[in-house]
Amino acid sequence: MLTLAQNRIGQTQVWLAVTGLFGAAFIGIELYEFAHLIHEGATPQRSAFLSSFFTLVGTHGLHVSFGIVWLVTLMVQVTQHGLIPENRRRLSCLSLFWHFLDVVWIGVFTFVYLMGVLR
């Protein structure tokens, strides 16, 4: 958003790509964790906790995946049309969505992962 405000299309695209790569890495780690848990027999059918875990974390991951698709779509639109007012608004909405996912992840991580360690 900082480079967007400075009308720097190339830098904006670079930071969108970096954000997308971090999002894809997050999804990869999440899928690896799910595969490992299922391999160990910790499936959603085993307990209410695991059912809730897979649903909550999986829903967040699904939203991150949708965010990546949205991000790539905007990268294409910015490449084709530049930083026109419509793309600026779309990028602002994407930024709000992405940061909301960050805040939600802090809550999920705190209650699922950190609180789980304390029990």
Side-chain angles (χ1 to χ4, degrees), residues 54-110:
F54 278 95
T55 301
L56 183 64
V57 176
T59 300
H60 180 268
L62 188 62
H63 282 86
V64 171
S65 298
F66 287 140
I68 293 169
V69 170
W70 187 4
L71 187 144
V72 170
T73 301
L74 282 176
M75 288 180 74
V76 170
Q77 289 180 349
V78 168
T79 299
Q80 291 177 344
H81 305 290
L83 295 175
I84 60 175
E86 292 83 0
N87 284 343
R88 289 176 177 278
R89 185 185 72 250
R90 292 172 186 142
L91 287 166
S92 293
C93 291
L94 174 64
S95 176
L96 289 172
F97 175 80
W98 202 261
H99 288 301
F100 180 72
L101 285 176
D102 293 340
V103 171
V104 169
W105 181 249
I106 291 169
V108 170
F109 185 78
T110 300

Side-chain angles (χ1 to χ4, degrees), residues 2-4 6-18:
L2 296 174
T3 58
L4 173 67
Q6 298 169 351
N7 292 317
R8 296 166 61 184
I9 293 175
Q11 286 295 101
T12 300
Q13 294 283 55
V14 166
W15 286 114
L16 287 170
V18 168

Side-chain angles (χ1 to χ4, degrees), residues 22-36:
F22 276 120
F26 177 87
I27 295 300
I29 292 167
E30 192 171 279
L31 290 173
Y32 173 80
E33 179 182 32
F34 281 8
H36 176 74

